[in-house]
Amino acid sequence: MNVPNAEKPIAIHFGAGNIGRGFIGAVLSQAGFHVVFVDVQKDIIDALNEEHGYDLHILNNESHTERVENVSGVMSTDLETIKKISKEPVSIITTAVGAGVLPKVAKPIAEIIKTRMVDKRGPIDIVACENLQHATDLLKEEIEKELNDDECEYMQENIGFAVCTVDRIVPPFESKNILDAGVEPFYEWTVDRNSLKKTDPDVTIKGMHTTDNLDAYVQRKLFTLNCGHAITSYLGFLSHKPTILEAIQTPSIHSAVSKALRESGTALVKKHAIFNEDDHNRYIETTLHRFANPHIQDEVTRVGKEPLRKLKKGDRLLGPIEMCREFGLPREGLLMGVAAALLFAPKDSEDEQVKELKGMIEEKGLRKVVLELTGWEEGDEDVEKVVGEYEKLKGKGFDCRL
């Protein structure tokens, strides 16, 4: 590829998949940046350099298309070109590669930092836009392994590792053009203002919001969108509903998910003064409406995959329960969500975590697995409720018991 024209500020974005093109890259392009996508998929990179744009299909009742322009691409293994680009007026570096791939982009980002140090460039921010708490901290640790002491010192003084939370449903999308992406209208990109090295990006990046209380927004998204999405998928699976849309359109599932989200919402409002009950209830309704988008056909088996990750302490299922426990709040709907997750076992699934969870329950028994996952004590009332809900769901199915 040719080095981008320096007339526009440059954003280097690692990850040219659906989320990269459909969310972060699109927001940066529409904010006036030339976006250089870095990826391992040669066909995507070649298409970006040939077309320099693609269509973003907004999937709602009045579907329309937005054009994303001023884009190009470079292979992540092409370190020489990446170094050349880093000599241009790069304003921000972002990632959307997936948590498992994040360590692999450390080397090319380290090369950018080294080049900026030699050229005596000033501050720049790196934002890891991953569906993982502390993703930016993980990326920073991996980058440090690629740098010597002087380079690490330069990084500490000039590179901002900004923590953020991102929220947009980007489903699998089929199009004749491999670059096109389909997305829901809603999105949020919230960045911790205190972790930035450069000026508040609200001034220059339309679509990026900054806050002094990122933890509140991280938990709001995790305990509402991610929690609701997971519970919808697990109850949908138990009710033989193939998609999130069909699941949430089932009155009993809609009611159960709504109950769980109002439980987590009550805890969130009590925990974080930045939220109030009325606004959060509207956020819950917006979330449920997003699940019911008729133009998004997302399979419950895809949304529910990796159940052990979703059952980690502090994550989307146990996290809101712990917050409810902290304040002595009702949590029956959330506990049923945990029970449903423990029963998630699609036939012939290739998901290693599905196999592992099933094997754990067969080997150790349900109660011991619940104790290990939650860290609760034997005899805890919530353990009993999860076990009880599990047996009801396993014995009668979901629809039959409501």
Side-chain angles (χ1 to χ4, degrees), residues 169-308:
I169 297 174
V170 184
F173 182 77
E174 293 185 4
S175 173
K176 293 180 180 179
N177 188 324
I178 62 171
L179 296 179
D180 289 359
V183 298
E184 65 166 339
F186 179 95
Y187 73 84
E188 281 187 347
W189 182 11
T190 305
V191 177
D192 175 26
R193 184 181 294 116
N194 300 316
S195 60
L196 295 168
K197 287 287 187 184
K198 297 193 74 172
T199 306
D200 186 340
D202 274 344
V203 177
T204 55
I205 304 181
K206 182 181 179 181
M208 177 192 282
H209 166 66
T210 61
T211 179
D212 291 320
N213 190 354
L214 185 68
D215 285 347
Y217 286 94
V218 169
Q219 291 187 329
R220 185 186 69 157
K221 185 239 179 176
L222 190 62
F223 297 174
T224 310
L225 174 80
N226 298 123
C227 174
H229 223 188
I231 293 177
T232 302
S233 70
Y234 297 137
L235 294 180
F237 166 74
L238 293 173
S239 301
H240 309 290
K241 306 297 181 183
T243 67
I244 292 295
L245 175 61
E246 292 176 74
I248 205 64
Q249 287 179 332
T250 304
S252 56
I253 295 179
H254 188 284
S255 176
V257 175
S258 178
K259 177 182 179 180
L261 295 189
R262 295 193 188 285
E263 290 171 353
S264 69
T266 300
L268 282 164
V269 170
K270 195 168 185 66
K271 179 78 171 181
H272 300 291
I274 193 172
F275 303 135
N276 65 65
E277 185 176 353
D278 289 342
D279 287 345
H280 191 73
N281 283 337
R282 282 191 288 272
Y283 181 73
I284 290 172
E285 290 304 317
T286 297
T287 300
L288 292 169
H289 182 71
R290 293 166 66 191
F291 295 165
N293 187 329
H295 297 279
I296 297 180
Q297 299 288 335
D298 217 351
E299 295 182 353
V300 297
T301 50
R302 188 199 73 82
V303 175
K305 68 181 181 180
E306 298 179 348
L308 285 173

Side-chain angles (χ1 to χ4, degrees), residues 50-75:
E50 181 178 339
E51 301 183 28
H52 298 290
Y54 55 90
D55 288 333
L56 189 65
H57 298 263
I58 310 301
L59 307 174
N60 60 7
N61 292 333
E62 298 178 357
S63 296
H64 66 281
T65 300
E66 297 177 359
R67 186 66 180 171
V68 178
E69 298 180 321
N70 297 308
V71 297
S72 57
V74 60
M75 295 293 292

Side-chain angles (χ1 to χ4, degrees), residues 26-161:
V27 169
L28 291 169
S29 171
Q30 292 166 349
F33 289 85
H34 178 102
V35 181
V36 179
F37 287 95
V38 184
D39 204 282
V40 296
Q41 299 183 78
K42 190 175 185 303
D43 55 345
I44 295 288
I45 297 301
D46 288 345
L48 285 166
N49 290 327
E50 181 178 339
E51 301 183 28
H52 298 290
Y54 55 90
D55 288 333
L56 189 65
H57 298 263
I58 310 301
L59 307 174
N60 60 7
N61 292 333
E62 298 178 357
S63 296
H64 66 281
T65 300
E66 297 177 359
R67 186 66 180 171
V68 178
E69 298 180 321
N70 297 308
V71 297
S72 57
V74 60
M75 295 293 292
S76 59
T77 53
D78 188 355
L79 298 182
E80 288 305 313
T81 300
I82 291 173
K83 286 191 282 188
K84 286 179 182 178
I85 295 169
S86 65
K87 290 179 174 290
E88 299 299 320
V90 178
S91 297
I92 188 170
I93 300 168
T94 55
T95 78
V97 296
V101 180
L102 202 56
K104 297 181 180 180
V105 304
K107 187 175 183 63
I109 293 178
E111 291 301 320
I112 295 173
I113 293 173
K114 293 175 184 179
T115 302
R116 291 181 68 87
M117 176 180 170
V118 171
D119 291 350
K120 296 181 169 57
R121 298 268 182 178
I124 191 173
D125 291 307
I126 299 174
V127 188
C129 306
E130 310 292 344
N131 194 19
L132 173 73
Q133 293 191 67
H134 311 299
T136 301
D137 293 337
L138 170 63
L139 178 59
K140 183 180 179 180
E141 291 174 4
E142 294 297 325
I143 292 173
E144 286 176 339
K145 297 175 184 178
E146 303 288 337
L147 304 176
N148 62 34
D149 290 345
D150 290 341
E151 290 161 347
C152 282
E153 183 178 349
Y154 168 83
M155 183 181 74
Q156 292 295 336
E157 294 176 356
N158 293 280
I159 309 299
F161 285 87

